[in-house]
């Protein structure tokens, strides 16, 4: 599989550090509010990368953090008069719900910055010991000019950066040796969360957490480091400086960055106020439509968000689901006859074409085009007297190719209240008959559809979650 590496600015064959294994680190959201659909783009894209690598036989260690200590979280906590952890825990739970609804799988590990402070302190100490960092008045800075390779990812020249930055004296940071030095540890301010450290009470700088968590959960060298393209500079550049200076080895082999989700050709962002939360969009569309919409463009192309484009994605998805339903209907009357070899071959060729698209730097746009070819093939070849094995092959392949993209091929049907009541009655009867397996199966079926049962003294109550 070829991946475009931001570091070398070309597509390169993916060769893992350890055969059959892939360690992926994706910078996750800062949890001070509901995530917006721009934040959802890297989640969906790199979750798809994970699924495809697994399909290709890799064992993937997928690590994605939650930044749970940050100025914005503290600001929000102060506004609400609660502890910062109340805000971060609330929005971690909300982000997880949105991710679940977009079929983004749980990461192997979702580390939180606040739970990794000792490792961060350790890394800062190592950097000081090696001469890559220094402390002034309780703040520890990274000595950027000591790190020769600074700028290698963003292809920025250190001298250009320095002259461009000359005007930017950030107040309170006059103590820095150099304008490009960045914060590893900052002293506490009144009303802020803090931790003990050799440099006094304080908290870590943002860049540090990813260097520490990737080291802890993947290793000194990681296969793929990913995130949105706004993170290339300074965040990823700083992560490289910290990790390579501390560990004395290359940090990440492949750097992948998704382009922006835009709105009216501007980056969707909280600060510009031109954003929609995943939650808001979820009220208008099933979130798998959003997933399908995101993947209908290549991840390195900017994608404009508009109602028309989401409608088009919705219709496209509908065509796939309808084809599946039709094939399932046909299967009921299908015959035990030999399938046509030519037709079977055609399906296999489409799978190869799909793989070729995904192998070409995760080209999900072309992969979706192949799924539509399969839909057309299905609609034109499945009818009366179709062979059962051909029908099954089409269905299995549609499910497989969609599944890799995180797209379910079956419509989620909302249960009507009467159906729920009927199932509950059936469960009660099953319990009376001591058929507990059936009773549990009904409870699970309801749970999958978001209905939770509660056995109370007054009988069974249910609610939708
Ligand atoms: P943040 O919470 O701002 O650190 O963002 C979390 C992730 O979302 C990062 O990987 C960002 O690069 C990414 N991101 C934020 N806004 C957008 C956008 N409009 N389009 C694509 N990715 C974005
Ligand atoms: Zn990061």
């Amino acid at each position: 599989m070829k991946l475009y590496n931001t570091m070398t600015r070309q597509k390169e064959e993916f060769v893992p550090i350890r055969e059959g294994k892939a360690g992926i680190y994706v910078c996750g959201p800062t949890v001070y509010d509901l995530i917006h659909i721009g934040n959802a783009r890297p989640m969906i894209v790199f979750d798809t990368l994970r699924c495809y690598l697994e399909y290709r036989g890799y064992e993937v260690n997928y690590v994605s953090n939650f930044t749970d200590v940050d100025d914005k979280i503290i600001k929000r906590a102060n506004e609400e008069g609660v502890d910062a952890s109340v805000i971060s825990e609330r929005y971690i739970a909300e982000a997880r719900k949105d991710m679940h609804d977009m079929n983004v799988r749980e990461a192997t590990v979702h580390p939180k910055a606040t739970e990794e402070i000792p490792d961060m302190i350790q890394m800062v100490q190592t950097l000081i010991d090696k001469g890559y960092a220094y402390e002034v008045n309780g703040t520890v800075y990274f000595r950027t000019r000591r790190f020769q390779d600074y700028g290698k990812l963003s292809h920025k020249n250190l001298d250009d950066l320095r002259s461009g930055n000359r005007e930017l004296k950030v107040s309170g940071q006059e103590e820095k040796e150099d304008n490009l030095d960045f914060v590893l540890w900052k002293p506490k301010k009144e009303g802020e969360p803090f931790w003990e450290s050799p440099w006094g009470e304080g908290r870590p700088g943002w860049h540090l957490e990813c260097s520490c968590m990737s080291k802890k959960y993947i290793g000194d060298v990681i296969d793929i480091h990913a995130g949105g393209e706004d993170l290339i500079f300074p965040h990823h550049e700083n992560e490289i400086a910290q990790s390579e200076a501390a560990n004395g080895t290359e940090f990440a082999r492949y750097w992948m960055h998704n382009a922006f989700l835009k709105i009216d050709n501007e980056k969707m962002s909280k600060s510009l106020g031109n954003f929609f939360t995943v939650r808001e969009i979820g009220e208008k569309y099933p979130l798998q439509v959003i997933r399908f919409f995101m993947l209908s463009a290549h991840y390195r192309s900017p994608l404009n968000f508009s109602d028309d484009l989401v409608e088009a994605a919705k219709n496209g998805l509908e065509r796939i689901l309808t084809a599946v339903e039709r094939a399932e209907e046909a299967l009921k009357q299908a015959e035990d006859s030999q399938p046509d070899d030519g037709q079977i071959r055609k399906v296999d060729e489409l799978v190869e074409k799909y793989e070729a698209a995904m192998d070409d730097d995760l080209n999900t746009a072309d992969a979706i085009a192949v799924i539509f070819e399969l839909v057309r093939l299905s609609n034109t070849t499945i009818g009366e007297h179709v062979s059962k094995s051909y029908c099954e092959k089409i269905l299995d392949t549609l499910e497989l190719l969609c599944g890799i993209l995180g797209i379910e091929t079956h419509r989620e049907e909302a249960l009507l209240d009467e159906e729920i009541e009927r199932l509950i009655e059936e469960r009660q009867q099953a319990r009376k008959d001591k058929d507990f397996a059936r009773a549990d199966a009904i409870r699970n079926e309801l749970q999958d559809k978001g209905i939770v049962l509660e056995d109370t003294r007054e009988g069974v109550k249910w609610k939708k979650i």
Side-chain angles (χ1 to χ4, degrees), residues 26-32 35-43 46 67 72 206 226-232 236 257-263 266-270 274 294 303:
V26 184
C27 297
T30 305
V31 281
Y32 65 101
I35 58 165
H36 63 71
I37 52 171
N39 302 135
R41 192 170 190 194
M43 290 175 175
F46 300 117
T67 298
K72 293 181 200 131
W206 170 44
E229 65 182 7
D230 53 335
L231 299 186
I232 298 173
H236 287 162
H257 293 99
N258 64 274
F260 290 140
L261 180 75
K262 297 186 162 195
I263 194 156
E266 250 191 307
K267 179 195 171 192
M268 182 179 287
S269 77
K270 287 255 162 67
N274 59 350
M294 294 278 187
L303 175 59

Side-chain angles (χ1 to χ4, degrees), residues 120-335:
M120 295 195 222
I121 291 176
Q122 180 60 50
M123 190 176 267
V124 175
Q125 191 59 57
T126 305
L127 290 169
I128 293 177
D129 294 345
K130 288 187 163 189
Y132 282 105
Y134 57 96
E135 185 255 345
V136 199
N137 300 327
T139 304
V140 183
Y141 295 100
F142 186 87
R143 189 173 275 131
T144 304
R145 73 184 130 82
R146 251 310 293 278
F147 185 69
Q148 300 288 323
D149 284 342
Y150 195 80
K152 67 177 172 180
L153 178 70
S154 51
H155 306 98
K156 288 184 195 289
N157 174 302
L158 219 67
D159 292 330
D160 293 348
L161 275 174
R162 191 165 292 123
S163 57
N165 252 19
R166 202 159 284 156
E167 312 305 315
L168 293 172
K169 274 267 176 210
V170 182
S171 78
Q173 296 198 348
E174 295 85 359
E175 60 198 21
K176 289 200 285 188
E177 289 177 5
D178 188 298
N179 269 333
L180 289 181
D181 294 352
F182 57 89
V183 173
L184 298 174
W185 185 265
K186 53 180 127 187
K188 75 160 185 187
K189 288 197 202 122
E190 208 38 54
E192 288 188 358
F194 65 88
W195 290 263
E196 299 288 343
S197 84
W199 320 285
E201 292 168 341
R203 63 186 164 104
W206 170 44
H207 312 299
L208 193 62
E209 64 182 85
C210 296
S211 284
C212 286
M213 297 177 188
S214 57
K215 179 182 169 79
K216 179 166 174 186
Y217 295 103
I218 301 178
D220 285 2
V221 193
I222 57 184
D223 289 296
I224 300 171
H225 196 314
E229 65 182 7
D230 53 335
L231 299 186
I232 298 173
F233 186 85
H235 183 56
H236 287 162
E237 202 68 76
N238 292 356
E239 281 187 35
I240 292 173
Q242 296 164 155
S243 294
E244 299 196 352
N247 303 331
T249 179
E250 181 190 17
F251 178 39
R253 304 278 292 271
Y254 302 86
W255 286 88
M256 293 178 73
H257 293 99
N258 64 274
F260 290 140
L261 180 75
K262 297 186 162 195
I263 194 156
D264 299 327
N265 287 314
E266 250 191 307
K267 179 195 171 192
M268 182 179 287
S269 77
K270 287 255 162 67
S271 50
L272 292 170
N274 59 350
F275 66 93
F276 292 107
T277 61
V278 170
R279 205 56 63 82
E280 277 174 293
I281 298 297
E283 280 164 17
K284 282 170 78 178
Y285 300 97
L287 284 174
Q288 98 151 346
V289 169
I290 295 302
R291 183 165 182 129
F292 194 70
F293 159 75
M294 294 278 187
L295 296 176
S296 65
H298 185 249
Y299 75 93
R300 282 192 295 118
S301 308
L303 175 59
N304 218 25
F305 181 82
S306 73
D307 279 339
D308 286 353
L309 289 176
V310 178
E311 275 302 322
K314 185 174 166 220
N315 294 336
L317 191 56
E318 195 57 34
R319 259 166 59 209
I320 298 173
L321 303 188
T322 308
V324 169
E325 277 168 357
R326 238 187 252 166
E328 278 174 343
E329 269 314 300
L331 183 60
K332 290 180 192 156
Q333 275 101 45
E335 298 170 358

